Amino acid sequence: MATCLLLTTSLKNAPIFLRGSTFRLLELRSGREGSLAVAERPDVGRAMFLDNHYMLGCSAGAPDMQRQAHLPLLLHSHPKRVCFIGLGTGITAAAALKHGAVESIAAIELCPLVAEASARHFSQFNQNLSLDPKTQVHVEDARTYIASAKSRFDLIVGDLFAPWRPGEARLCSLEQFTAAKEALRPGVSSANGCR
């Protein structure tokens, strides 16, 4: 009986983002990866949500997100070429711009909606990361990108280790960590925690 009711009920008016009284919706877009909402609330600031349940980051969390970049960058003696797997709001990757030794930043993001929202709605929080000449945002599968980047980076930061979306669990696999190790430039010392 419930199945019959579901099949006869129109779902076209089902909410993609539960607006409620707690968030002010700034943008809502859908693509093949799901639905992306950018919304604001006083306690979290501006936030990005995927499929109405997974927060990809928020402006109020900027200090914590920046620390995810600062700590590995400070542990490396000369981090010239840096890669971030997962862009989200761009706040984590933007922290690398504050390190004078960093010459180039590659930010890899699977979802084009996320990359676009990062540039459009979070530029004031991510130092206009997408427009910085040191930065290249690559919209592609990080597994493929890292596997083809032999001896390219001094440091790789994975900023997405919550496997909520299809394919993300593979970023936590032995094969992915092996590919990341091979993407590090020769001579990166194991004493500084980078290998």
Side-chain angles (χ1 to χ4, degrees):
M1 181 69 167
T3 306
C4 183
L5 179 62
L6 179 61
L7 293 175
T8 60
T9 304
S10 172
L11 296 176
K12 72 178 185 178
N13 295 324
I16 295 173
F17 182 74
L18 299 177
R19 298 170 192 228
S21 61
T22 60
F23 279 99
R24 182 173 72 89
L25 187 64
L26 301 177
E27 181 177 15
L28 178 62
R29 296 181 68 199
S30 293
R32 66 178 175 81
E33 301 83 13
S35 297
L36 184 85
V38 177
E40 288 182 327
R41 190 171 79 187
D43 61 329
V44 296
R46 187 165 295 173
M48 189 184 302
F49 294 91
L50 187 64
D51 290 336
N52 203 31
H53 76 284
Y54 183 57
M55 185 188 296
L56 297 172
C58 65
S59 59
D64 291 333
M65 293 189 305
Q66 290 170 356
R67 265 191 295 279
Q68 291 179 70
H70 289 314
L71 290 174
L73 285 162
L74 291 171
L75 290 172
H76 194 291
S77 58
H78 291 73
K80 292 181 181 179
R81 298 182 202 156
V82 182
C83 176
F84 288 87
I85 301 174
L87 176 66
T89 62
I91 294 171
T92 301
L97 295 172
K98 296 179 181 178
H99 293 259
V102 174
E103 295 175 0
S104 68
I105 300 166
I108 318 305
E109 176 55 52
L110 181 62
C111 179
L113 295 174
V114 171
E116 293 164 11
S118 173
R120 192 169 37 256
H121 293 287
F122 291 88
S123 60
Q124 69 192 67
F125 308 108
N126 67 24
Q127 300 175 26
N128 285 310
L129 179 73
S130 64
L131 299 178
D132 192 282
K134 291 182 181 182
T135 304
Q136 289 185 320
V137 175
H138 302 276
V139 178
E140 64 180 279
D141 190 321
R143 293 172 300 145
T144 305
Y145 186 88
I146 292 296
S148 66
K150 304 284 187 218
S151 304
R152 184 161 172 207
F153 300 107
D154 297 305
L155 184 68
I156 298 171
V157 178
D159 183 22
L160 50 58
F161 290 100
W164 291 89
R165 294 186 288 179
E168 286 180 356
R170 287 178 273 180
L171 291 171
C172 300
S173 69
L174 177 60
E175 293 81 11
Q176 177 63 20
F177 286 110
T178 300
K181 182 178 180 181
E182 292 172 1
L184 292 172
R185 293 185 334 147
V188 176
S189 170
S190 60
N192 62 22
C194 295
R195 262 197 179 196

